[in-house]
Amino acid sequence: MNRNVNQQTVRKAKAALIFSMVIFGSVGILVHYIPLPSSVIAFSRALFGGLFLYVITRLRRIPLSREQLRKNAKLLVLSGALLGFNWIFLFTSFKYTTVAVASICYYMAPIFVVLLSPFLFQEKLGPVKILAVAMAFAGTVLVSGLLQNQGVVNPLGVMYGLLAAVLYAGVLICNKKLQNLSAFESTIGQLASAAVVLAVYILGNEAWWALSCTPFQFLLLMILSLFVTGFTYALFFGSMPYLPAQTVAIYTYIDPILAVLLSALALHEPLTLEIIAGGILILGATALTEFATQRSLS
């Protein structure tokens, strides 16, 4: 009986993980239809997504340790700031290039972590990781449009996507250094920090008093903030304790693959053979690094 219950729990966890990855893959589509500055979209996502997660923890009586949050405060503020500006660059990338190109460039983040690991964590770059890095950079060259005769890809959009990846790599590195925090605690702390940092940025750099959007566009913003961020993060974190790390890593590739497909199908954005080949190289490189990491831990 217990075995059946456990299997059912695992199936539900897999379904929740897959659903959350599908929803994450729609971020670019939603942002495409929200005519607000990237900083304002990022602020809304951090504020309302964080509040939603906090309410979920209270309703489900998930403990939040104020002591551990206080001990990790500096890292949480730093990672929150990196997260907020990472979203700004990613959303700006969507405006300058296709959702597919921006999403593929964004997936360079794990590769940047691999490159920094020897300096920050004294981890060696084995042959598999070196191959992965070479594949990723070859993929970036293809995606960037440097080898194309016609300007299908805007280089500025590629640059913003890669900057977003660099900042998200910083978030991943900070997460490795956080101590004694659950996924809910660290994420709520980061989203709260991001909301504060972005609020200060908006007050100083955006004409926030002149912003406007239609009721439908505001609804899309709330869907992105409450549902895509808050609710879907809760699903994602709720599924992780019941699944092996390798399973979680494999299913996360649903996000960029779906983003690429939606870019072509929903937005009718150009999807060249170079972009497809580059995407395969970059996603394959991140899969290789994940394989190498899991193998070293086993």
Side-chain angles (χ1 to χ4, degrees), residues 273-295:
L273 289 176
E274 288 84 356
I275 293 174
I276 294 172
I280 291 172
L281 283 172
I282 291 174
L283 296 181
T286 57
L288 268 181
T289 59
E290 188 66 36
F291 168 78
T293 302
Q294 293 297 328
R295 189 176 180 182

Side-chain angles (χ1 to χ4, degrees), residues 64-77 178-181 185 189:
L64 298 176
S65 173
R66 292 185 180 181
E67 180 182 355
Q68 294 303 327
L69 287 169
R70 187 164 52 250
K71 288 181 178 179
N72 290 273
K74 290 182 180 179
L75 268 179
L76 287 172
V77 171
L178 292 172
Q179 296 181 348
N180 302 317
L181 286 178
E185 289 170 337

Side-chain angles (χ1 to χ4, degrees), residues 20 25 63 75 81 97 119 130 147-148 151-152 174 200 204 232 237 245 277 284:
S20 63
L75 268 179
T97 188
F119 307 100
I130 292 174
L147 302 182
Q148 298 176 22
V152 177
C174 287
V200 174
T232 310
F237 296 139

